[in-house]
Short mmCIF file of all heavy atoms in Angstrom, two decimals:
data_model
loop_
_atom_site.label_atom_id
_atom_site.label_comp_id
_atom_site.label_asym_id
_atom_site.label_seq_id
_atom_site.Cartn_x
_atom_site.Cartn_y
_atom_site.Cartn_z
N LEU A 32 -20.32 -2.07 36.73
CA LEU A 32 -20.24 -2.40 35.30
C LEU A 32 -20.96 -1.36 34.46
O LEU A 32 -20.47 -0.95 33.40
CB LEU A 32 -20.81 -3.79 35.05
CG LEU A 32 -19.94 -4.96 35.47
CD1 LEU A 32 -20.69 -6.28 35.32
CD2 LEU A 32 -18.65 -4.99 34.68
N LEU A 33 -22.11 -0.89 34.90
CA LEU A 33 -22.84 0.15 34.16
C LEU A 33 -22.06 1.46 34.13
O LEU A 33 -22.00 2.14 33.11
CB LEU A 33 -24.22 0.36 34.76
CG LEU A 33 -25.25 -0.72 34.46
CD1 LEU A 33 -26.52 -0.50 35.26
CD2 LEU A 33 -25.55 -0.75 32.97
N ILE A 34 -21.47 1.82 35.26
CA ILE A 34 -20.68 3.06 35.30
C ILE A 34 -19.51 2.97 34.33
O ILE A 34 -19.26 3.90 33.55
CB ILE A 34 -20.19 3.33 36.74
CG1 ILE A 34 -21.37 3.72 37.64
CG2 ILE A 34 -19.12 4.42 36.75
CD1 ILE A 34 -21.03 3.79 39.11
N ILE A 35 -18.80 1.86 34.34
CA ILE A 35 -17.66 1.68 33.43
C ILE A 35 -18.13 1.71 31.99
O ILE A 35 -17.52 2.34 31.12
CB ILE A 35 -16.90 0.38 33.76
CG1 ILE A 35 -16.20 0.51 35.11
CG2 ILE A 35 -15.91 0.02 32.67
CD1 ILE A 35 -15.64 -0.79 35.65
N PHE A 36 -19.25 1.03 31.71
CA PHE A 36 -19.79 1.00 30.35
C PHE A 36 -20.09 2.41 29.84
O PHE A 36 -19.69 2.79 28.74
CB PHE A 36 -21.05 0.13 30.31
CG PHE A 36 -21.78 0.19 29.01
CD1 PHE A 36 -21.30 -0.51 27.91
CD2 PHE A 36 -22.93 0.95 28.87
CE1 PHE A 36 -21.97 -0.45 26.69
CE2 PHE A 36 -23.60 1.00 27.67
CZ PHE A 36 -23.12 0.31 26.57
N PHE A 37 -20.79 3.20 30.64
CA PHE A 37 -21.16 4.54 30.19
C PHE A 37 -19.95 5.48 30.09
O PHE A 37 -19.91 6.37 29.25
CB PHE A 37 -22.25 5.13 31.07
CG PHE A 37 -23.60 4.53 30.81
CD1 PHE A 37 -24.25 3.78 31.77
CD2 PHE A 37 -24.21 4.68 29.57
CE1 PHE A 37 -25.48 3.21 31.52
CE2 PHE A 37 -25.44 4.12 29.30
CZ PHE A 37 -26.08 3.38 30.28
N MET A 38 -18.94 5.27 30.93
CA MET A 38 -17.72 6.07 30.80
C MET A 38 -17.00 5.75 29.49
O MET A 38 -16.53 6.66 28.79
CB MET A 38 -16.79 5.83 32.00
CG MET A 38 -17.29 6.46 33.28
SD MET A 38 -16.30 6.03 34.71
CE MET A 38 -14.70 6.65 34.26
N VAL A 39 -16.90 4.48 29.16
CA VAL A 39 -16.23 4.08 27.92
C VAL A 39 -17.01 4.56 26.71
O VAL A 39 -16.44 5.10 25.76
CB VAL A 39 -16.03 2.54 27.89
CG1 VAL A 39 -15.60 2.08 26.51
CG2 VAL A 39 -15.01 2.13 28.93
N VAL A 40 -18.33 4.39 26.72
CA VAL A 40 -19.16 4.83 25.60
C VAL A 40 -19.06 6.34 25.43
O VAL A 40 -18.96 6.86 24.32
CB VAL A 40 -20.63 4.38 25.79
CG1 VAL A 40 -21.54 5.08 24.81
CG2 VAL A 40 -20.73 2.89 25.61
N GLY A 41 -19.06 7.06 26.54
CA GLY A 41 -18.94 8.52 26.47
C GLY A 41 -17.62 8.96 25.88
O GLY A 41 -17.55 9.91 25.11
N GLU A 42 -16.57 8.26 26.22
CA GLU A 42 -15.24 8.61 25.70
C GLU A 42 -15.12 8.26 24.22
O GLU A 42 -14.54 9.00 23.44
CB GLU A 42 -14.17 7.88 26.51
CG GLU A 42 -12.78 8.40 26.31
CD GLU A 42 -12.59 9.84 26.76
OE1 GLU A 42 -13.24 10.26 27.73
OE2 GLU A 42 -11.81 10.54 26.10
N LEU A 43 -15.67 7.12 23.82
CA LEU A 43 -15.57 6.70 22.43
C LEU A 43 -16.49 7.49 21.51
O LEU A 43 -16.26 7.54 20.31
CB LEU A 43 -15.88 5.20 22.30
CG LEU A 43 -14.86 4.26 22.94
CD1 LEU A 43 -15.33 2.82 22.81
CD2 LEU A 43 -13.50 4.43 22.30
N SER A 44 -17.54 8.08 22.06
CA SER A 44 -18.48 8.81 21.20
C SER A 44 -18.04 10.24 20.94
O SER A 44 -18.68 10.95 20.17
CB SER A 44 -19.88 8.80 21.81
OG SER A 44 -19.88 9.55 23.01
N LYS A 45 -16.96 10.68 21.57
CA LYS A 45 -16.46 12.03 21.30
C LYS A 45 -15.95 12.09 19.87
O LYS A 45 -15.25 11.19 19.42
CB LYS A 45 -15.33 12.41 22.27
CG LYS A 45 -15.81 12.65 23.67
CD LYS A 45 -14.66 13.04 24.57
CE LYS A 45 -15.15 13.25 25.99
NZ LYS A 45 -14.04 13.54 26.90
N PRO A 46 -16.26 13.16 19.14
CA PRO A 46 -15.78 13.24 17.76
C PRO A 46 -14.26 13.42 17.72
O PRO A 46 -13.69 14.14 18.53
CB PRO A 46 -16.49 14.47 17.21
CG PRO A 46 -16.90 15.26 18.40
CD PRO A 46 -17.07 14.29 19.53
N GLN A 47 -13.65 12.71 16.79
CA GLN A 47 -12.21 12.84 16.59
C GLN A 47 -12.01 13.90 15.52
O GLN A 47 -12.42 13.72 14.38
CB GLN A 47 -11.61 11.51 16.15
CG GLN A 47 -11.82 10.38 17.15
CD GLN A 47 -11.10 10.62 18.46
OE1 GLN A 47 -10.00 11.14 18.47
NE2 GLN A 47 -11.74 10.25 19.55
N ALA A 48 -11.39 15.00 15.86
CA ALA A 48 -11.25 16.08 14.92
C ALA A 48 -9.82 16.59 14.91
O ALA A 48 -9.10 16.47 15.89
CB ALA A 48 -12.20 17.23 15.28
N MET A 49 -9.45 17.14 13.78
CA MET A 49 -8.15 17.75 13.64
C MET A 49 -8.33 19.27 13.77
O MET A 49 -9.27 19.82 13.22
CB MET A 49 -7.59 17.41 12.25
CG MET A 49 -6.27 18.06 11.94
SD MET A 49 -5.74 17.69 10.26
CE MET A 49 -5.03 16.11 10.50
N ASP A 50 -7.45 19.91 14.50
CA ASP A 50 -7.53 21.36 14.63
C ASP A 50 -7.27 22.00 13.28
O ASP A 50 -6.32 21.66 12.59
CB ASP A 50 -6.51 21.88 15.64
CG ASP A 50 -6.85 21.46 17.06
OD1 ASP A 50 -8.04 21.23 17.33
OD2 ASP A 50 -5.93 21.37 17.89
N LEU A 51 -8.13 22.91 12.93
CA LEU A 51 -8.02 23.57 11.64
C LEU A 51 -8.46 25.01 11.81
O LEU A 51 -9.58 25.27 12.27
CB LEU A 51 -8.90 22.87 10.60
CG LEU A 51 -8.96 23.46 9.21
CD1 LEU A 51 -7.59 23.35 8.55
CD2 LEU A 51 -9.99 22.75 8.39
N SER A 52 -7.60 25.94 11.50
CA SER A 52 -7.99 27.34 11.56
C SER A 52 -7.91 27.90 10.15
O SER A 52 -6.88 27.78 9.49
CB SER A 52 -7.09 28.11 12.51
OG SER A 52 -5.75 28.01 12.10
N LEU A 53 -8.99 28.45 9.71
CA LEU A 53 -9.06 28.98 8.36
C LEU A 53 -8.94 30.50 8.41
O LEU A 53 -9.47 31.15 9.31
CB LEU A 53 -10.39 28.59 7.70
CG LEU A 53 -10.58 27.09 7.49
CD1 LEU A 53 -11.98 26.83 6.97
CD2 LEU A 53 -9.57 26.56 6.52
N PRO A 54 -8.27 31.10 7.43
CA PRO A 54 -8.17 32.56 7.41
C PRO A 54 -9.49 33.16 6.96
O PRO A 54 -10.35 32.50 6.39
CB PRO A 54 -7.07 32.81 6.36
CG PRO A 54 -7.16 31.64 5.46
CD PRO A 54 -7.55 30.48 6.34
N GLU A 55 -9.61 34.45 7.23
CA GLU A 55 -10.79 35.15 6.75
C GLU A 55 -10.72 35.21 5.22
O GLU A 55 -9.65 35.20 4.63
CB GLU A 55 -10.83 36.57 7.32
CG GLU A 55 -11.05 36.62 8.81
CD GLU A 55 -11.11 38.04 9.32
OE1 GLU A 55 -11.48 38.95 8.55
OE2 GLU A 55 -10.76 38.23 10.48
N LYS A 56 -11.88 35.30 4.62
CA LYS A 56 -11.93 35.37 3.16
C LYS A 56 -11.23 36.66 2.72
O LYS A 56 -11.48 37.73 3.27
CB LYS A 56 -13.40 35.35 2.71
CG LYS A 56 -13.56 35.21 1.24
CD LYS A 56 -15.04 35.05 0.92
CE LYS A 56 -15.27 35.10 -0.55
NZ LYS A 56 -15.03 33.85 -1.21
N TYR A 57 -10.35 36.53 1.75
CA TYR A 57 -9.58 37.67 1.31
C TYR A 57 -10.41 38.55 0.37
O TYR A 57 -11.36 38.11 -0.25
CB TYR A 57 -8.28 37.23 0.61
CG TYR A 57 -8.53 36.35 -0.60
CD1 TYR A 57 -8.83 36.90 -1.84
CD2 TYR A 57 -8.47 34.97 -0.50
CE1 TYR A 57 -9.07 36.10 -2.93
CE2 TYR A 57 -8.71 34.17 -1.59
CZ TYR A 57 -9.01 34.75 -2.81
OH TYR A 57 -9.25 33.95 -3.90
N VAL A 58 -10.00 39.79 0.31
CA VAL A 58 -10.62 40.74 -0.61
C VAL A 58 -9.78 40.73 -1.88
O VAL A 58 -8.56 40.66 -1.84
CB VAL A 58 -10.65 42.15 0.02
CG1 VAL A 58 -11.27 43.15 -0.92
CG2 VAL A 58 -11.40 42.10 1.34
N ASP A 59 -10.40 40.80 -3.05
CA ASP A 59 -9.68 40.69 -4.32
C ASP A 59 -8.56 41.72 -4.46
O ASP A 59 -7.50 41.43 -4.98
CB ASP A 59 -10.65 40.82 -5.48
CG ASP A 59 -11.53 39.59 -5.61
OD1 ASP A 59 -11.11 38.50 -5.17
OD2 ASP A 59 -12.62 39.71 -6.16
N ASP A 60 -8.79 42.94 -3.96
CA ASP A 60 -7.74 43.97 -4.05
C ASP A 60 -6.51 43.57 -3.24
O ASP A 60 -5.38 43.72 -3.69
CB ASP A 60 -8.27 45.32 -3.55
CG ASP A 60 -9.37 45.87 -4.44
OD1 ASP A 60 -9.43 45.46 -5.63
OD2 ASP A 60 -10.19 46.67 -3.95
N GLU A 61 -6.75 43.04 -2.04
CA GLU A 61 -5.63 42.62 -1.21
C GLU A 61 -4.88 41.45 -1.86
O GLU A 61 -3.67 41.36 -1.80
CB GLU A 61 -6.14 42.19 0.17
CG GLU A 61 -6.71 43.32 0.97
CD GLU A 61 -7.34 42.83 2.27
OE1 GLU A 61 -7.19 41.64 2.60
OE2 GLU A 61 -7.97 43.64 2.95
N TRP A 62 -5.60 40.53 -2.47
CA TRP A 62 -4.99 39.36 -3.11
C TRP A 62 -4.14 39.78 -4.29
O TRP A 62 -3.04 39.29 -4.46
CB TRP A 62 -6.10 38.40 -3.54
CG TRP A 62 -5.58 37.12 -4.13
CD1 TRP A 62 -5.67 36.72 -5.41
CD2 TRP A 62 -4.88 36.08 -3.46
NE1 TRP A 62 -5.09 35.49 -5.58
CE2 TRP A 62 -4.60 35.08 -4.40
CE3 TRP A 62 -4.47 35.89 -2.14
CZ2 TRP A 62 -3.93 33.91 -4.07
CZ3 TRP A 62 -3.81 34.72 -1.83
CH2 TRP A 62 -3.54 33.76 -2.79
N SER A 63 -4.63 40.70 -5.11
CA SER A 63 -3.84 41.15 -6.25
C SER A 63 -2.59 41.89 -5.78
O SER A 63 -1.54 41.79 -6.40
CB SER A 63 -4.68 42.03 -7.18
OG SER A 63 -5.10 43.19 -6.49
N HIS A 64 -2.69 42.61 -4.67
CA HIS A 64 -1.51 43.27 -4.12
C HIS A 64 -0.51 42.23 -3.63
O HIS A 64 0.69 42.37 -3.82
CB HIS A 64 -1.92 44.20 -2.97
CG HIS A 64 -0.75 44.78 -2.23
ND1 HIS A 64 0.08 45.72 -2.80
CD2 HIS A 64 -0.25 44.53 -1.01
CE1 HIS A 64 1.04 46.04 -1.94
NE2 HIS A 64 0.85 45.32 -0.85
N PHE A 65 -1.01 41.16 -3.02
CA PHE A 65 -0.16 40.08 -2.52
C PHE A 65 0.61 39.43 -3.66
O PHE A 65 1.79 39.15 -3.55
CB PHE A 65 -1.04 39.05 -1.80
CG PHE A 65 -0.32 37.79 -1.40
CD1 PHE A 65 0.57 37.79 -0.35
CD2 PHE A 65 -0.55 36.61 -2.08
CE1 PHE A 65 1.22 36.63 0.02
CE2 PHE A 65 0.10 35.45 -1.71
CZ PHE A 65 0.98 35.47 -0.66
N ILE A 66 -0.05 39.23 -4.79
CA ILE A 66 0.60 38.60 -5.93
C ILE A 66 1.64 39.53 -6.55
O ILE A 66 2.73 39.11 -6.91
CB ILE A 66 -0.45 38.20 -6.99
CG1 ILE A 66 -1.32 37.07 -6.44
CG2 ILE A 66 0.19 37.78 -8.30
CD1 ILE A 66 -2.50 36.72 -7.30
N SER A 67 1.31 40.79 -6.66
CA SER A 67 2.22 41.71 -7.35
C SER A 67 3.34 42.24 -6.48
O SER A 67 4.25 42.88 -6.97
CB SER A 67 1.41 42.89 -7.91
OG SER A 67 0.83 43.62 -6.83
N CYS A 68 3.28 42.00 -5.16
CA CYS A 68 4.29 42.61 -4.29
C CYS A 68 5.65 41.95 -4.43
O CYS A 68 6.64 42.55 -4.07
CB CYS A 68 3.82 42.59 -2.83
SG CYS A 68 3.79 40.96 -2.10
N GLY A 69 5.70 40.70 -4.90
CA GLY A 69 7.00 40.05 -5.12
C GLY A 69 7.75 39.80 -3.85
O GLY A 69 8.95 39.94 -3.79
#
Side-chain angles (χ1 to χ4, degrees):
L32 285 173
L33 285 172
I34 290 171
I35 292 169
F36 172 77
F37 285 115
M38 287 174 60
V39 169
V40 167
E42 194 64 33
L43 293 177
S44 67
K45 289 181 182 176
Q47 301 295 323
M49 176 183 278
D50 291 333
L51 177 66
S52 58
L53 296 174
E55 293 181 27
K56 189 174 172 82
Y57 59 83
V58 179
D59 288 335
D60 294 337
E61 293 174 8
W62 184 249
S63 62
H64 173 70
F65 172 73
I66 292 172
S67 64
C68 70

